Amino acid sequence: MNLTLQVWRQSGPASEGKLTEYQATDVSPEMSFLEMLDVVNEKLAEKGDLPIAFDHDCREGICGSCGMMIDGVAHGPSRGTATCQLHMRSFTDGDTIVIEPWRAQAFPVIKDLVVNRSALDRIIQAGGYISVATGGAKDGNMIPIPKLDSDSAMDAAACIGCGACVAACPNGSASLFTGAKVSHLGLLPQGQPERYRRALRMVAQMDLESFGGCSLFGECMEACPKSISIDVIARMNRDYVYASVSAVEERALGGEG
Amino acid sequence: MTVNLNSRVPAGPLTEKWDKHRFDVKLVNPANKRKYTVLVVGSGLAGASAAATFSELGYNVSCYCYQDSPRRAHSIAAQGGINAAKNYQNDGDSIQRLFYDTIKGGDFRSREGNVFRLAQISVNIIDQCVAQGVPFAREYGGLLANRSFGGAQVSRTFYARGQTGQQLLLGAYQALEKEIAKGGVTMYPRSEMLDLIVVNGRARGIVVRDEITGKVEPHLADAVVLATGGYGNVFYLSTNAKGCNTTAIWRSYKRGAAFANPCYTQIHPTCIPVAGEYQSKLTLMSESLRNDGRVWVPRRKEDVGTAPGAIPEADRDYYLERKYPSFGNLSPRDIASRAAKEACDDGRGVGPGGRGVYLDFADAITRLGEDKIRERYGNLFEMYERITDENPYKVPMRIYPAVHYTMGGLWVDYNLMSTIPGLHVAGEANFSDHGANRLGASALMQGLADGYFVLPVTIGDYLASNRLEPVSVDAPEVKAAVADVQARTSKLLSIKGKRTVASFHRELGHIMWEKCGMARDAAGLHQALEMIPKLREEFWQNVTIPGSGDDFNQTLEHAGRVADFLELGELMCRDALHREESCGGHFRVEHQTPDGEALRNDEQFAYVAAWEFAGEGKAPLLNKEPLVFENIKLSQRSYK
């Protein structure tokens, strides 16, 4: 099939960007979206033109590198799918596809479709971990964890940090990302000692970066390639409110709060 | 022989070596640790765990990755699991058994001392990861669950659905971010190491290119750790991430680090087959699927075009179960891959081009129900359906082998130090523990063993035992290394030829797959050794790289990596040609048993081949580290 692409081209962080039109010809429905872009890029390079820059790495939907707005939808039309796993069979011959970078104040454009997502790393730095140093851990089976808790923690931990939730949110909020980590660790017994302090600090960092607030639109959940539920945001809010009213910042708590 | 290949495996009984060594090593006083700077290149399981642990100990650490965040390193894509000799299942597992399985799985081409240590440490890794909050699969009673992997008859694999690598990496990444927040680690994302700085014979830093600004700068230190992964992308198509490359270890090789067993490549039996010319990578379907899936092809060639469901049981050839009754579908990877190739070469392969075999879950679904199968492998089935548009609950998966892992890498001693003092190498980037074939679920184990538990001990020994004079950025060696990198970048950009970087990469990959892939012979390897230098020459005259070196330029990054692959490919073929035996993933068709199994030659080849760079245009020198087996009796590997 043949497609018309309208691609956002921007040479650097400080430059103006604009949509530029390209033709993608002889596209096979078995191709992934990124393979379709590879072919376009190779033709550009053959002519000595600058290929379209986009982040990508594992191309199996787990590293979280890739991500673009495809016709205004984060990661494109297939639900629960990262851009690298989107296949061209989702499109029809003659389609025009508009491709843009993540649009969010907290994700400045570096070049073309590549954005700076380091704010997400800084949210993790604020508390998205359990403070155990290497060595000295007791036997893994000394901490029995109900299967349901472990499964729910895993559901939240499946987040790949791609930033689609932020890009999809009308407010540019990172609540699904942050809530997923707060929930993953907060659901496990190992995560209890730092549970409230973690929620407070991660939310504070999220506010410090240029992310917006959450109005529970739920767009994030629709865009999430791992279909993480907005229940994690409710859980984060609960922990955050509890921590705020009880001023537990520096006090270690055990068990369910 | 010019390089020193002293393995430094401690003397004494196998079971006591690591304990003894930990007592014998020199320590750095806690107050002095912050005076030392260690650079860690790569942020996968080995790199992130090492960087975090060094910082916890008090060292000053800088960590580098080419991705935009350390969480994206390719360890994240490991699916099936991580081995540990916990014996939670009471099925007869032990450290000794994991040790033996690993040595045998590697076809008796690894070091006993290193492998035993790995098996010992495996149990600590699980404990550490649980403490960090890794959500391993659990039984209803709340205890950790296990599954089986190839090459073992016990269930010792711990897992987090089909995303074990992701969860383990996030554990290490979170530990790393914790240390970044404390100020112990400075993280350099979107940064690529382009050379090693060697001063007075010691590794003292690296040359780094900032991928956003294009700036090339030296970073100096007291020791360097490379945890930069494997070089499977030399084949162009592999299960590796697109960015995985050999540059860090290759440039270090050219600065004097010996490269061990480059020809040992793992071809994974269960990947989604190639669909077309435009294909950019191959996707793995976890080995864990072989717990419940049965591999087969039609017994008769006439049935190849028939729908699988219409082929009666009697006309199917469950070839792994037939050939290897005791391990069956859980035969090791090298053996399962070769058997698939054999079936396809025999004209019984299925799907487009006849390059595929069935992986069938019908029996398991009948026995356990679709829900149970969904719980175990749901995400893998979804991934398969997304890529192929076929529903594996209804029709069998089609799979074919693909390049997955490289057992070869920079030579290291028991301390994980290369032949350049101060240059340490961890994870897939080194050659150490898997011999000629790695068992499933052992890469995660090795990466984390190296990073969490081995290097934090041995790096202290290196720093405490050596007097390291300060190095200035103005030192001639530093300036020369930076100038070399700049000159190379300018040269690449000045060619302005007609062929794209990707087209060179594809052609190299094709040569490597055909001549140095699942089966190799002298004639083909000789041909490859003619073809690769010609291709390399053309690359340096005719490659086109649009754009400049002063900003974000992904084509330039790719070109630098392909230039190095074009050199490494030649060394791999040379190594494959010299090793006149078959072992593990290295199968020379001239050397096989009457029933087509790998035929080792222990008398002549029970050694590590460590290649030494001898200068541009000169043949590399072969150094040999003999493998001494004091505890294991070498035997013909059998999974029958």
Side-chain angles (χ1 to χ4, degrees):
Chain A
M1 53 185 168
N2 297 313
L3 303 162
T4 302
L5 309 180
Q6 302 262 3
V7 185
W8 185 262
R9 302 300 306 258
Q10 180 174 341
S11 58
S15 357
E16 294 269 310
K18 64 172 180 14
L19 287 172
T20 306
E21 195 166 294
Y22 300 95
Q23 300 302 320
T25 50
D26 293 329
V27 174
S28 150
E30 306 302 318
M31 280 179 176
S32 73
F33 196 82
L34 299 186
E35 284 168 346
M36 182 273 294
L37 285 179
D38 287 344
V39 173
V40 170
N41 270 346
E42 207 162 344
K43 287 192 182 143
L44 287 174
E46 276 167 8
K47 288 192 290 178
D49 292 341
L50 282 176
I52 302 156
F54 61 90
D55 268 326
H56 64 98
D57 205 21
C58 78
R59 297 206 175 189
E60 45 189 281
I62 194 77
C63 75
S65 295
C66 67
M68 41 194 89
M69 299 304 279
I70 300 169
D71 289 334
V73 180
H75 289 307
S78 298
R79 278 200 70 174
T81 303
T83 305
C84 61
Q85 297 231 286
L86 175 65
H87 280 69
M88 296 313 291
R89 65 179 80 92
S90 302
F91 299 88
T92 321
D93 186 41
D95 278 359
T96 296
I97 308 173
V98 180
I99 309 171
E100 296 169 275
W102 286 162
R103 300 285 188 197
Q105 214 189 334
F107 294 162
V109 171
I110 292 173
K111 186 174 187 173
D112 298 341
L113 306 172
V114 177
V115 299
N116 180 343
R117 289 171 288 196
S118 57
L120 298 181
D121 287 327
R122 289 190 294 275
I123 292 176
I124 299 296
Q125 280 162 34
Y129 46 76
I130 290 172
S131 299
V132 288
T134 307
K138 60 184 173 180
D139 187 275
N141 263 349
M142 294 286 283
I143 316 169
I145 302 177
K147 188 173 186 313
L148 204 64
D149 290 355
S150 173
D151 286 349
S152 308
M154 180 62 215
D155 289 341
C159 169
I160 59 174
C162 62
C165 48
V166 178
C169 177
N171 302 345
S173 168
S175 288
L176 193 71
F177 170 83
T178 312
K181 191 48 65 188
V182 166
S183 300
H184 157 212
L185 299 174
L187 278 158
L188 295 172
Q190 306 93 301
Q192 295 312 311
E194 295 168 289
R195 177 172 166 188
Y196 297 102
R197 165 189 151 111
R198 177 182 307 120
L200 273 183
R201 292 189 169 192
M202 289 180 75
V203 171
Q205 186 64 35
M206 185 168 62
D207 292 342
L208 267 182
E209 307 285 350
S210 311
F211 295 107
C214 170
S215 319
L216 289 174
F217 286 118
E219 299 280 348
C220 51
M221 181 165 76
E222 297 295 315
C224 176
K226 296 295 151 185
S227 303
I228 290 173
S229 156
I230 50 169
D231 292 355
V232 300
I233 301 180
R235 177 167 267 278
M236 171 176 75
N237 289 342
R238 222 163 47 228
D239 282 2
Y240 179 79
V241 169
Y242 180 84
S244 308
V245 298
S246 24
V248 289
E249 159 69 351
E250 293 301 334
R251 211 176 74 216
L253 282 188
E256 287 278 314
Chain B
M1 200 183 287
T2 48
V3 298
N4 178 7
L5 294 183
N6 178 357
S7 71
R8 292 190 181 79
V9 175
L14 194 57
T15 53
E16 290 164 28
K17 285 181 195 290
W18 179 232
D19 282 343
K20 179 177 179 302
H21 192 63
R22 281 193 296 171
F23 179 71
D24 288 341
V25 295
K26 290 205 172 113
L27 301 175
V28 179
N29 165 330
N32 285 340
K33 285 200 179 89
R34 65 189 150 81
K35 295 179 190 161
Y36 288 106
T37 299
V38 183
L39 310 185
V40 179
V41 188
S43 65
L45 287 180
S49 60
T53 307
F54 291 157
S55 171
E56 286 164 5
L57 290 169
Y59 296 110
N60 208 342
V61 183
S62 293
C63 183
Y64 305 81
C65 67
Y66 70 77
Q67 299 91 342
D68 72 322
S69 162
R71 69 180 289 152
R72 309 205 195 283
H74 196 52
S75 305
I76 198 118
Q79 298 170 351
I82 177 166
N83 288 328
K86 282 286 198 185
N87 193 30
Y88 284 159
Q89 305 304 323
N90 193 30
D91 56 0
D93 200 8
S94 62
I95 286 167
Q96 182 73 28
R97 189 175 296 281
L98 175 54
F99 159 70
Y100 181 76
D101 286 350
T102 306
I103 293 261
K104 177 184 169 194
D107 217 353
F108 306 93
R109 288 291 174 266
S110 43
R111 251 186 229 143
E112 282 189 341
N114 286 55
V115 177
F116 195 85
R117 173 176 68 186
L118 179 65
Q120 284 177 301
I121 290 174
S122 69
V123 299
N124 305 104
I125 295 171
I126 300 304
D127 300 341
Q128 178 62 27
C129 294
V130 168
Q132 286 173 342
V134 171
F136 283 121
R138 303 259 164 185
E139 305 290 355
Y140 279 102
L143 301 184
L144 290 155
N146 288 114
R147 60 185 169 202
S148 305
F149 253 63
Q153 288 175 313
V154 294
S155 280
R156 63 159 78 95
T157 306
F158 295 78
Y159 63 100
R161 294 191 191 147
Q163 293 124 283
T164 317
Q166 179 199 26
Q167 293 311 315
L168 296 176
L169 182 62
L170 291 181
Y173 157 77
Q174 285 161 203
L176 178 64
E177 294 294 341
K178 157 176 76 76
E179 294 304 306
I180 293 170
K182 280 205 302 201
V185 181
T186 308
M187 186 70 217
Y188 294 88
R190 293 200 196 271
S191 298
E192 184 162 23
M193 167 181 163
L194 292 182
D195 211 342
L196 180 75
I197 297 171
V198 181
V199 182
N200 292 332
R202 293 180 187 281
R204 295 304 301 269
I206 60 175
V207 181
V208 179
R209 180 172 183 273
D210 179 321
E211 291 171 349
I212 296 177
T213 63
K215 218 169 179 186
V216 172
E217 279 179 318
H219 290 236
L220 302 178
D222 299 293
V224 177
V225 174
L226 302 185
T228 52
Y231 49 87
N233 273 349
V234 70
F235 291 88
Y236 184 69
L237 286 182
S238 80
T239 65
N240 286 188
K242 292 297 286 176
C244 292
N245 65 82
T246 189
T247 292
I249 58 173
W250 188 253
R251 307 273 167 104
S252 299
Y253 161 75
K254 293 180 83 171
R255 293 278 176 197
F259 204 123
N261 303 330
C263 80
Y264 288 171
T265 321
Q266 174 160 87
I267 316 279
H268 195 294
T270 54
C271 301
I272 300 177
V274 175
E277 217 2 67
Y278 51 81
Q279 187 105 21
S280 63
K281 80 154 277 159
L282 295 171
T283 302
L284 177 76
M285 286 284 106
S286 168
E287 177 161 313
S288 61
L289 293 168
R290 290 196 273 145
N291 272 281
D292 289 307
R294 297 178 71 196
V295 178
W296 64 277
V297 291
R299 201 164 55 77
R300 300 174 312 181
K301 289 177 200 170
E302 304 86 83
D303 285 340
V304 160
T306 313
I311 301 175
E313 201 60 28
D315 289 338
R316 300 176 176 192
D317 180 11
Y318 294 92
Y319 57 84
L320 287 175
E321 297 170 29
R322 171 173 58 80
K323 292 173 74 169
Y324 309 103
S326 47
F327 283 72
N329 292 297
L330 284 173
S331 300
R333 291 176 177 178
D334 52 338
I335 287 177
S337 288
R338 269 201 299 280
K341 180 178 188 292
E342 228 169 71
C344 295
D345 287 349
D346 193 31
R348 296 184 294 141
V350 297
R355 290 279 138 191
V357 301
Y358 290 124
L359 179 61
D360 195 338
F361 293 88
D363 283 359
I365 290 172
T366 310
R367 192 175 68 242
L368 304 163
E370 198 172 308
D371 285 347
K372 192 77 196 168
I373 295 299
R374 181 166 288 115
E375 185 192 318
R376 285 185 188 165
Y377 313 111
N379 67 319
L380 298 170
F381 277 46
E382 271 170 40
M383 178 148 60
Y384 182 85
E385 186 168 359
R386 222 174 273 137
I387 293 172
T388 63
D389 210 19
E390 288 178 356
N391 177 354
Y393 295 101
K394 305 276 178 250
V395 294
M397 287 183 177
R398 279 178 301 109
I399 52 157
Y400 196 67
V403 173
H404 181 54
Y405 187 90
T406 50
M407 284 73 69
L410 291 187
W411 184 91
V412 289
D413 64 14
Y414 192 70
N415 291 326
L416 304 185
M417 191 160 82
S418 71
T419 53
I420 301 176
L423 179 69
H424 296 73
V425 193
E428 191 179 348
N430 75 28
F431 88 106
S432 67
D433 297 343
H434 307 295
N437 173 57
R438 178 176 64 73
L439 290 181
S442 285
L444 305 186
M445 170 172 71
Q446 185 222 334
L448 290 180
D450 289 357
Y452 281 135
F453 296 105
V454 179
L455 279 174
V457 173
T458 60
I459 205 116
D461 186 47
Y462 172 75
L463 295 170
S465 315
N466 294 284
R467 212 183 141 72
L468 299 162
E469 303 294 337
V471 174
S472 143
V473 285
D474 296 322
E477 294 91 337
V478 179
K479 287 186 147 174
V482 173
D484 282 355
V485 167
Q486 283 164 336
R488 187 181 167 86
T489 306
S490 311
K491 188 165 174 209
L492 281 168
L493 288 164
S494 70
I495 300 167
K496 299 191 188 302
K498 293 203 162 47
R499 265 186 83 176
T500 61
V501 178
S503 81
F504 282 104
H505 197 174
R506 270 196 296 270
E507 186 174 340
L508 172 68
H510 187 74
I511 297 172
M512 294 302 294
W513 179 247
E514 292 299 322
K515 313 288 182 196
C516 196
M518 256 188 289
R520 302 147 176 198
D521 63 29
L525 290 165
H526 277 298
Q527 283 167 3
L529 286 170
E530 303 259 312
M531 294 160 89
I532 297 169
K534 279 191 195 139
L535 185 65
R536 189 166 63 228
E537 200 176 317
E538 192 197 338
F539 174 88
W540 284 102
Q541 282 165 5
N542 196 26
V543 73
T544 176
I545 305 167
S548 84
D550 304 329
D551 65 357
F552 194 77
N553 188 340
Q554 291 170 311
T555 317
L556 176 64
E557 291 165 23
H558 189 199
R561 295 166 190 166
V562 172
D564 292 330
F565 281 136
L566 281 163
E567 297 182 7
L568 166 69
E570 187 179 341
L571 186 70
M572 289 169 71
C573 292
R574 203 180 276 276
D575 186 43
L577 184 63
H578 113 279
R579 190 166 279 279
E580 289 280 356
E581 64 163 352
S582 294
C583 57
H586 170 64
F587 190 74
R588 283 286 300 268
V589 292
E590 300 95 324
H591 305 287
Q592 49 181 312
T593 63
D595 50 354
E597 301 295 340
L599 184 63
R600 287 199 325 268
N601 178 346
D602 292 332
E603 218 154 275
Q604 283 179 286
F605 290 97
Y607 63 77
V608 177
W611 296 89
E612 181 192 347
F613 183 65
E616 296 292 349
K618 291 192 186 141
L621 304 173
L622 174 63
N623 299 269
K624 298 174 183 175
E625 179 203 334
L627 289 167
V628 184
F629 294 92
E630 292 168 341
N631 301 275
I632 275 184
K633 198 171 150 287
L634 276 72
S635 61
Q636 159 85 33
R637 205 162 55 131
S638 168
Y639 291 95
K640 293 192 169 162

